[in-house]
Amino acid sequence: MRGFIRLLAWAAVTVSLGFVVLGGAGYWLYRDVAAPGPLTEPRTIVIPPRTSLSDIASLLAGQGIIRHPRSFELGATLSGRSSALLAGEYEFPAATSALQAMEIIASGKTVKHRLTIPEGLTSAEISALMEAAPALDGDPGPPPAEGELLPETYLYEYGDRRKDVVDRMQRAMARALAEVWAERRPDLPFTTPRELLILASLVEKEASRLDEQARIAGVFVNRLRLGMRLQSDPTVIYALSDRGSKRLDRRLTHTDLAILSPYNTYLTRGLPPGPIDNPGISALRAAARPAFTDELYFVADGTGGHVFATTLAEHARNVSQYRHNAAAEPEREIPLHAIPDEKPGPPVR
């Protein structure tokens, strides 16, 4: 009987010691995974698809985010997060604990990258920006047709395909163009959304200030109605740059105005055959609802804006004043569309 009691006592002691050991190990494990990690500043890492739990732990330890990969593995397994860890690019704040690292990876809240497309770029220039975005993947394909991409800021994740981002830009432009076309002025001298897009692309290049876009659009609309050539320098630049596929690193000359191209609005009347860039939403709205004005001319004022005129004589005085100011400031460029060489022609039906 005494032997049996002694055996029960030893069993109780052993079980108690086992609980103490397990409790101590559990407490140590919790302390280890909950303690602040060694990171001294935020760090971003990429977890590739189909990475195992042990490889994730090794990657985090190798990047200095956690101290003990084995503790991370045990903590993830015991907490039920081992199968919830998702591939992607994640940012870890300074002093991230192993427990916080698990939560970040299991949340699937990956790093969001921004691709900002400025207004007025050609499709070739936008394609170059996308090629330079290191977090994107794949070939974007040939540059889309001019005017098909809406300039704005696009969010994407590491590994997103460039072609998918291009598709998003095209859908965004299609929606924006449809919206502004539905809100257009009913008296515009053109009848298709594409013509509105072409006009917007000219306005985008000509107006360096948003508050002048509708006014410049109004000037172009008036000239279209009267059968006047638009005489827009950016259309000549587009023709000389092989339709935006290369950069023209010089100023225009008077000889350039004679280039034989349907995009040269110094020679051809009406709108060019297609857009010369990808206009932003504000330029689209300006082309859809241009300002009500009698003005037919504008010339740069040297400060980023323009001076407008209703008559050729008034425009000639503005050009003369601009030339006078430019002479006092040799670095200032005299725009070629400051040449008052055309009067209104027959009205366009």
Side-chain angles (χ1 to χ4, degrees):
M1 185 66 179
R2 287 181 181 177
F4 178 71
I5 293 174
R6 199 175 290 119
L7 181 61
L8 286 177
W10 275 109
V13 170
T14 302
V15 170
S16 298
L17 287 174
F19 277 119
V20 169
V21 171
L22 288 175
Y27 178 71
W28 178 88
L29 178 62
Y30 176 77
R31 286 280 304 271
D32 191 53
V33 297
L39 267 186
T40 58
E41 59 184 15
R43 179 165 297 174
T44 299
I45 68 168
V46 176
I47 298 177
R50 297 178 294 279
T51 303
S52 68
L53 174 60
S54 61
D55 287 340
I56 292 176
S58 298
L59 177 61
L60 294 175
Q63 291 292 324
I65 297 170
I66 62 174
R67 290 187 177 88
H68 305 117
R70 184 57 180 164
S71 296
F72 180 90
E73 290 184 59
L74 288 172
T77 301
L78 294 174
S79 65
R81 291 191 178 93
S82 59
S83 61
L85 304 182
L86 303 172
E89 183 181 22
Y90 298 94
E91 182 178 11
F92 299 90
T96 297
S97 68
L99 190 60
Q100 290 171 327
M102 296 177 209
E103 294 171 350
I104 290 171
I105 301 172
S107 72
K109 295 179 180 178
T110 56
V111 174
K112 304 299 181 186
H113 294 269
R114 293 174 176 267
L115 178 62
T116 299
I117 306 299
E119 293 85 352
L121 296 185
T122 65
S123 292
E125 290 170 328
I126 293 176
S127 292
L129 281 181
M130 296 188 64
E131 288 283 2
L136 285 175
D137 188 32
D139 187 352
E146 211 71 78
E148 286 190 355
L149 307 177
L150 183 68
E152 61 178 31
T153 296
Y154 295 87
L155 299 180
Y156 66 94
E157 299 178 2
Y158 180 90
D160 281 357
R161 296 172 63 241
R162 289 182 172 87
K163 185 65 174 65
D164 293 338
V165 179
V166 170
D167 292 342
R168 287 168 56 194
M169 294 180 184
Q170 290 176 310
R171 290 194 299 269
M173 177 59 87
R175 286 194 302 268
L177 184 56
E179 289 172 4
V180 298
W181 180 252
E183 300 170 356
R184 71 190 184 281
R185 267 176 45 184
D187 61 339
L188 297 177
F190 45 81
T191 58
T192 67
R194 178 172 173 78
E195 291 171 306
L196 186 150
L197 178 62
I198 295 171
L199 176 60
S201 72
L202 271 62
V203 171
E204 188 67 75
K205 285 295 191 184
E206 290 281 12
S208 55
R209 286 172 29 183
L210 292 180
D211 61 345
E212 288 188 350
Q213 286 186 331
R215 196 171 178 183
I216 287 177
V219 170
F220 283 143
V221 164
N222 291 341
R223 293 175 75 93
L224 287 171
R225 285 201 182 100
L226 294 173
M228 298 174 65
R229 289 187 288 270
L230 298 183
Q231 294 183 310
S232 173
D233 288 2
T235 63
V236 179
I237 294 173
Y238 188 73
L240 290 170
S241 63
D242 195 16
R243 301 191 179 186
S245 62
K246 57 185 180 182
R247 195 172 186 85
L248 187 68
D249 293 322
R250 63 174 178 81
R251 297 179 179 180
L252 286 181
T253 66
H254 291 281
T255 303
D256 294 330
L257 304 187
I259 181 175
L260 295 178
S261 168
Y263 285 90
N264 183 356
T265 55
Y266 277 86
L267 296 181
T268 61
R269 298 183 187 273
L271 292 167
I276 62 171
D277 59 68
N278 291 274
I281 187 66
S282 60
L284 290 170
R285 289 171 177 157
R289 303 192 69 83
F292 288 97
T293 177
D294 294 329
E295 295 160 340
L296 294 172
Y297 310 92
F298 60 86
V299 64
D301 63 6
T303 64
H306 294 84
V307 180
F308 296 81
T310 57
T311 66
L312 187 58
E314 183 184 1
H315 180 58
R317 288 193 296 271
N318 292 337
V319 172
S320 178
Q321 181 62 45
Y322 184 88
R323 290 180 181 276
H324 175 75
N325 295 338
E329 302 176 39
E331 71 279 3
R332 187 189 297 180
E333 178 182 357
I334 300 177
L336 292 177
H337 66 253
I339 306 167
D341 61 351
E342 184 180 19
K343 298 180 180 179
V348 175
R349 294 185 182 274

